[in-house]
Amino acid sequence: MPNLLRRLIPRHFTAQISLFTASVLIVAVSGLTAYTTWEQARNAEKTLLQGMESLLHNLAASSAADLLTRNYSAVESRLMLSARHPDIRALRVVGQNGQAISQVLHPPGEAPYSVFDFLLLSPPEKPARIWMDEEGRTLGHDAYPLGARNLVIWRPLKEFGHPGSIQIEIDTGGIHEDIVRILVDGAITALLAIALSIGLLVLFLRRPVQAVQEAIRFAGDLTTRLGDRIPEYRGTAEIASLTHALNETSVWLYAKEISLGAATQRLEAVFGNISDALFTLNESDRVESANAAACELFGYDALELPQQPIDRLFPEWARLSAGQGARGRHETTAIRRNGRSFPVDLTLSRFTLGATHYLIVSARDITERKQSEAAMRRAKEEAEEASRMKSEFLANMSHEIRTPMNGVLGMTELALDTELNEEQRDYLTLAHTSAQHLLSIINDILDYSKIEAGKFVTNPETFTLRTFLEDLVRSMLPSSSEKALALRLDAALDLPEQIHADPVRLRQVLVNLIGNAVKFTDSGEIRLLADHAHCDDGACLHFCVSDTGIGIPTEKLDAIFDAFTQADGSITRKYGGTGLGLTISHKLTLLMGGRMWVESEPGKGSRFHFTIACGEAAPEPEPDAEPTPQPAPDGERGLHVLLAEDNAVNRKLATALMEKMGHRVAVAEDGAEAVQAWNDARFDLILMDIMMPGMDGLTAIGQIRAAERERGGHIPIIALTAHAMQGDRERFLTGGADGYVSKPIRHDELKSEISRLLGQDH
């Protein structure tokens, strides 16, 4: 169908314009004729209906009384009189049962006459119109339909008190004739208008068409006549604009050709001098062009590289170009002409010229970068190894320092529990205090090292806040009382009963701040405040430790939390300390999701503030009743304990502590002896040192647990160790230990752990 239309439509512009004009005129005249016909039919219909319905109404009103009195002759007279109208063909009065009471017929060209027969009709209950054709077929009930020759109108007589109806039959041939006449007149008018318009149009378009034809010839030769001009057209503005535009286009294309030549030269210069290797590939994945850098990088000359298959240069090309891979950046391996491979950074992008698809490949040799990355990986591995060795060194130093400190502190504690004269007790007390101070310094250094190594984590748990604070202040009262300082706790009433935070690290921070306050205050008071100040929400607590001590100079406030820093050197000489306490406390508050700051004025004291993030915990349910303590296996209070410890001093100390608690102790000097002793005798508890020569403590625990899995039973084992690094406790418990006591061993801590495991107050 489209090909047939193209053959039927003339190719010349004048003929096309004429055809178009004729079509427009036909459509316009046809539309006007149709509209006029429709309006004429509507007006004729309206006039006819108004007259006939008025006639029916008057006839019904005047005949109703005669019908009710059965004066049918009077009714027939009225029908005869009304039927004289030239368009009326029949009038009928129909009874309730559909039987014609009276009817008058009026054939065309004849006088009306009455007819009596047994015609039986079906009158509608409401007024109705029925349009019919010449054969009497119904065409519609509303507006005039084209082709209708008769109209039947029914009028019920109910409103006048009679149950019958009046029917009128009307000839509508006049309306049909008027419509035909209008259509014929419209067709004649359309033909005359088309002929006149086409003639005038052809005459008017002759000169403009000649100008257009000249412009077409010029445009066809434009590629060989760049810069030439055709004569300007003096006439229709559009054609004048066309000739002017062609002249301007000729000049513009000439300038563009010169500019394009220069741009092509610049592009070739850039393409040839760029440092990265550039290729353009066709749809067959062969090189169409390559720059000088590509030839140099791959070892080909400028005539040899084009038409090379790209997978000869990049062996992984099939993977790189699969699916969506032929876009973006890739790292792959390239091969030079001499067969040597090297790493490249490949960038792929597609473009289309006309219907042909191309691919731009940019390759950069990343051999030096890969070497740098390898060097960085080695440096990272060396740094990680150094960090591991540092952590191992700290763990070993912790063990080596805490082991003799365990002996010093333990033995002095045991000696202080014996009968001593005043001078001996004074000496031993000073030695014990000095050892505790030395242990505190060691702990600070180890904590700082763990924080700097990023291996320090918090362990939140639920605890009662007010009880925690009261116990803390109570434990600090002896040191403040020695200097006659008042130590006061101010806890806000709206503090939660229980919180979820790390009580050990919170205690460490508060003990450090209160200890510093006691150290640097000679008179007055120290106050611990706990509330919700400086908190944005309820999941936060604010603490403040204030004193009336020496204060801090303003210029030193910014550096007060730096490591190994104090207000001035004289403070270290007068008060002692490493300068790590505030640094550790500051970093601990950060780990607990808060911050720390200080307000101070020389001579008026200091106020150290810090916040921590915490969650309010629901009150814990009442614990179940404690189980009834079970007696020792031998029916006595004391336990039979196996002690595995390689250090003679620590063996003696642990043995003394256990015997002081009323227990019997058997000793093993390494893990193998401990396993053998456990196999040979029955024990209630094992105290196992972790670092021992030969078989260490963890190995011994593992063998004991493996044997228990075969023959049943479970003996409580407490790990005794000088390891105090983060994760040591969890590692030992995972390895099979039931409890953990760090060195230096403290009597109360060891006793508490034994009671926890055995459910006895030994």
Side-chain angles (χ1 to χ4, degrees):
M1 181 62 71
N3 293 331
L4 178 61
L5 289 176
R6 280 196 293 270
R7 287 196 296 269
L8 292 176
I9 296 176
R11 299 182 60 83
H12 292 289
F13 177 70
T14 305
Q16 290 180 356
I17 290 294
S18 300
L19 179 61
F20 174 76
T21 304
S23 301
V24 170
L25 287 172
I26 290 172
V27 171
V29 173
S30 299
L32 178 62
T33 302
Y35 176 75
T36 304
T37 302
W38 180 79
E39 280 292 319
Q40 180 69 22
R42 293 286 295 171
N43 291 334
E45 174 191 357
K46 184 178 179 181
T47 302
L48 179 64
L49 290 176
Q50 286 178 349
M52 294 303 166
E53 287 183 352
S54 176
L55 174 65
L56 274 180
H57 179 79
N58 294 332
L59 188 60
S62 60
S63 301
D66 294 330
L67 288 170
L68 291 173
T69 58
R70 300 192 176 186
N71 187 1
Y72 297 137
S73 59
V75 172
E76 186 174 299
S77 299
R78 288 189 178 89
L79 294 181
M80 290 288 291
L81 183 64
S82 300
R84 293 178 181 178
H85 192 283
D87 294 329
I88 295 176
R89 293 292 171 260
L91 278 170
R92 297 181 181 89
V93 176
V94 180
Q96 184 178 6
N97 55 2
Q99 178 69 43
I101 297 174
S102 177
Q103 62 175 325
V104 174
L105 302 180
H106 184 194
E110 298 180 14
Y113 60 88
S114 63
V115 176
F116 177 76
D117 59 16
F118 293 98
L119 182 65
L120 188 64
L121 301 174
S122 299
E125 295 181 359
K126 297 180 179 180
R129 304 171 188 168
I130 302 173
W131 298 92
M132 298 181 178
D133 59 10
E134 290 180 339
E135 304 298 329
R137 293 187 293 267
T138 301
L139 298 180
H141 296 273
D142 296 320
Y144 169 77
L146 191 63
R149 294 302 180 91
N150 293 291
L151 172 63
V152 176
I153 301 177
W154 285 93
R155 174 81 183 203
L157 298 173
K158 290 181 181 180
E159 60 180 299
F160 302 105
H162 189 272
S165 301
I166 296 181
Q167 181 201 65
I168 184 170
E169 197 174 306
I170 306 165
D171 185 358
T172 59
I175 299 177
H176 180 75
E177 292 174 359
D178 291 342
I179 291 174
V180 171
R181 185 179 63 257
I182 294 171
L183 290 175
V184 172
D185 293 345
I188 294 172
T189 302
L191 291 175
L192 292 175
I194 289 170
L196 181 61
S197 299
I198 290 177
L200 293 175
L201 187 62
V202 170
L203 182 64
F204 176 75
L205 290 178
R206 184 179 60 182
R207 185 168 171 269
V209 168
Q210 290 175 351
V212 171
Q213 290 173 342
E214 176 64 24
I216 292 172
R217 286 192 296 272
F218 179 74
D221 300 335
L222 192 59
T223 55
T224 59
R225 299 174 59 184
L226 289 179
D228 291 350
R229 302 173 67 90
I230 58 175
E232 295 289 343
Y233 177 76
R234 305 294 180 184
T236 307
E238 289 79 1
I239 299 178
S241 298
L242 174 63
T243 57
H244 178 74
L246 283 172
N247 288 331
E248 292 296 319
T249 301
S250 175
V251 176
W252 181 82
L253 287 175
Y254 179 70
K256 283 296 179 181
E257 185 179 38
I258 296 175
S259 176
L260 181 61
T264 301
Q265 292 177 353
R266 289 194 298 270
L267 181 60
E268 291 176 350
V270 172
F271 186 75
N273 291 285
I274 195 168
S275 59
D276 289 344
L278 291 179
F279 306 88
T280 56
L281 307 183
N282 57 26
E283 293 178 329
S284 301
D285 284 343
R286 288 185 173 271
V287 178
E288 281 213 349
S289 61
N291 65 349
C295 297
E296 181 180 355
L297 181 62
F298 286 86
Y300 292 88
D301 58 39
L303 298 178
E304 192 177 12
L305 190 54
Q307 296 308 313
Q308 291 286 343
I310 194 65
D311 56 2
R312 181 174 296 174
L313 307 178
F314 304 103
E316 297 180 336
W317 181 254
R319 177 183 62 83
L320 299 175
S321 60
Q324 297 296 321
R327 295 181 181 274
R329 299 182 61 180
H330 308 271
E331 284 191 9
T332 186
T333 301
I335 297 181
R336 292 188 173 94
R337 184 181 181 185
N338 58 13
R340 297 183 61 183
S341 62
F342 61 99
V344 293
D345 188 355
L346 211 62
T347 302
L348 308 179
S349 59
R350 292 190 179 276
F351 71 97
T352 302
L353 288 179
T356 306
H357 301 287
Y358 293 91
L359 186 66
I360 296 179
V361 180
S362 172
R364 176 176 296 178
D365 187 352
I366 56 173
T367 302
E368 293 184 359
R369 193 184 83 188
K370 287 295 184 180
Q371 292 172 348
S372 299
E373 290 176 354
M376 290 177 63
R377 281 194 299 272
R378 288 194 297 270
K380 178 177 178 292
E381 291 170 358
E382 291 172 358
E384 290 174 347
E385 177 63 15
S387 176
R388 186 193 64 78
M389 294 179 65
K390 176 183 175 183
S391 298
E392 185 176 339
F393 171 77
L394 289 173
N396 290 333
M397 287 301 298
S398 172
H399 180 271
E400 295 302 323
I401 294 174
R402 288 172 181 270
T403 297
M405 286 300 299
N406 181 51
V408 173
L409 287 171
M411 289 304 179
T412 53
E413 285 181 358
L414 289 175
L416 286 171
D417 287 340
T418 62
E419 293 186 7
L420 303 169
N421 60 38
E422 185 176 348
E423 184 178 8
Q424 291 171 332
R425 184 170 297 280
D426 187 40
Y427 291 160
L428 287 173
T429 301
L430 290 175
H432 189 267
T433 302
S434 298
Q436 286 184 323
H437 181 62
L438 178 59
L439 182 61
S440 175
I441 293 174
I442 294 170
N443 288 335
D444 281 351
I445 294 174
L446 291 175
D447 283 348
Y448 179 73
S449 299
K450 288 186 285 185
I451 292 173
E452 288 298 302
K455 296 185 177 181
F456 204 102
V457 296
T458 59
N459 297 296
E461 60 182 71
T462 300
F463 61 94
T464 304
L465 178 60
R466 192 172 296 273
T467 302
F468 168 83
L469 295 175
E470 290 172 351
D471 291 344
L472 172 69
V473 171
R474 192 179 299 112
S475 69
M476 300 297 293
L477 282 175
S479 60
S480 63
S481 299
E482 288 180 2
K483 300 180 70 173
L485 298 174
L487 179 57
R488 184 157 55 93
L489 170 64
D490 289 339
L493 296 177
D494 61 347
L495 291 179
E497 180 180 352
Q498 290 187 322
I499 64 170
H500 190 72
D502 189 334
V504 175
R505 300 309 168 192
L506 178 58
R507 179 184 180 86
Q508 184 176 348
V509 174
L510 290 172
V511 166
N512 181 269
L513 295 179
I514 296 174
N516 283 347
V518 172
K519 182 191 299 185
F520 297 112
T521 303
D522 294 328
S523 62
E525 69 170 9
I526 298 168
R527 179 184 175 214
L528 170 59
L529 171 66
D531 56 22
H532 288 296
H534 304 281
C535 291
D536 295 331
D537 53 46
C540 168
L541 287 178
H542 165 254
F543 299 92
C544 177
V545 176
S546 60
D547 61 57
T548 56
I550 61 175
I552 305 170
T554 304
E555 64 274 11
K556 299 291 184 178
L557 289 177
D558 292 338
I560 197 65
F561 297 119
D562 293 343
F564 310 108
T565 299
Q566 292 185 332
D568 58 62
S570 63
I571 290 179
T572 304
R573 294 189 294 272
K574 181 177 180 181
Y575 296 100
T578 61
L580 286 176
L582 286 178
T583 302
I584 295 172
S585 298
H586 178 254
K587 291 183 179 293
L588 286 177
T589 58
L590 295 177
L591 286 174
M592 291 188 287
R595 62 189 182 97
M596 179 178 285
W597 69 99
V598 62
E599 300 169 349
S600 183
E601 189 175 345
K604 295 185 178 180
S606 303
R607 292 175 301 281
F608 281 86
H609 301 264
F610 72 94
T611 60
I612 64 168
C614 64
E616 184 173 350
E620 294 184 354
E622 291 294 330
D624 296 334
E626 291 287 341
T628 304
Q630 298 297 321
D634 58 1
E636 300 176 0
R637 180 178 178 81
L639 298 173
H640 191 194
V641 180
L642 173 60
L643 170 64
E645 171 63 69
D646 65 302
N647 185 277
V649 176
N650 288 336
R651 281 201 307 272
K652 187 173 183 178
L653 171 61
T655 301
L657 289 175
M658 296 303 294
E659 290 176 347
K660 188 176 180 180
M661 296 180 200
H663 306 312
R664 294 176 293 117
V665 181
V667 175
E669 295 187 5
D670 61 25
E673 289 186 17
V675 175
Q676 186 61 45
W678 173 76
N679 280 317
D680 295 342
R682 182 179 180 185
F683 296 95
D684 303 314
L685 175 69
I686 298 178
L687 302 181
M688 183 75 72
D689 184 29
I690 297 300
M691 287 192 68
M692 292 184 291
M695 182 184 293
D696 61 29
L698 276 179
T699 304
I701 293 173
Q703 291 190 5
I704 292 173
R705 295 306 186 209
E708 287 177 340
R709 284 192 291 272
E710 293 181 1
R711 65 192 189 192
H714 182 89
I715 185 169
I717 301 177
I718 296 177
L720 300 180
T721 178
H723 286 285
M725 299 298 288
Q726 183 69 34
D728 286 341
R729 175 186 175 88
E730 291 74 14
R731 183 163 59 91
F732 301 148
L733 295 180
T734 303
D738 299 291
Y740 169 91
V741 174
S742 64
K743 298 177 181 179
I745 301 174
R746 293 176 175 82
H747 176 272
D748 293 340
E749 184 178 354
L750 180 58
K751 182 178 180 180
S752 174
E753 191 72 354
I754 294 173
S755 299
R756 183 183 69 82
L757 292 180
L758 299 177
Q760 301 183 37
D761 187 15
H762 293 288

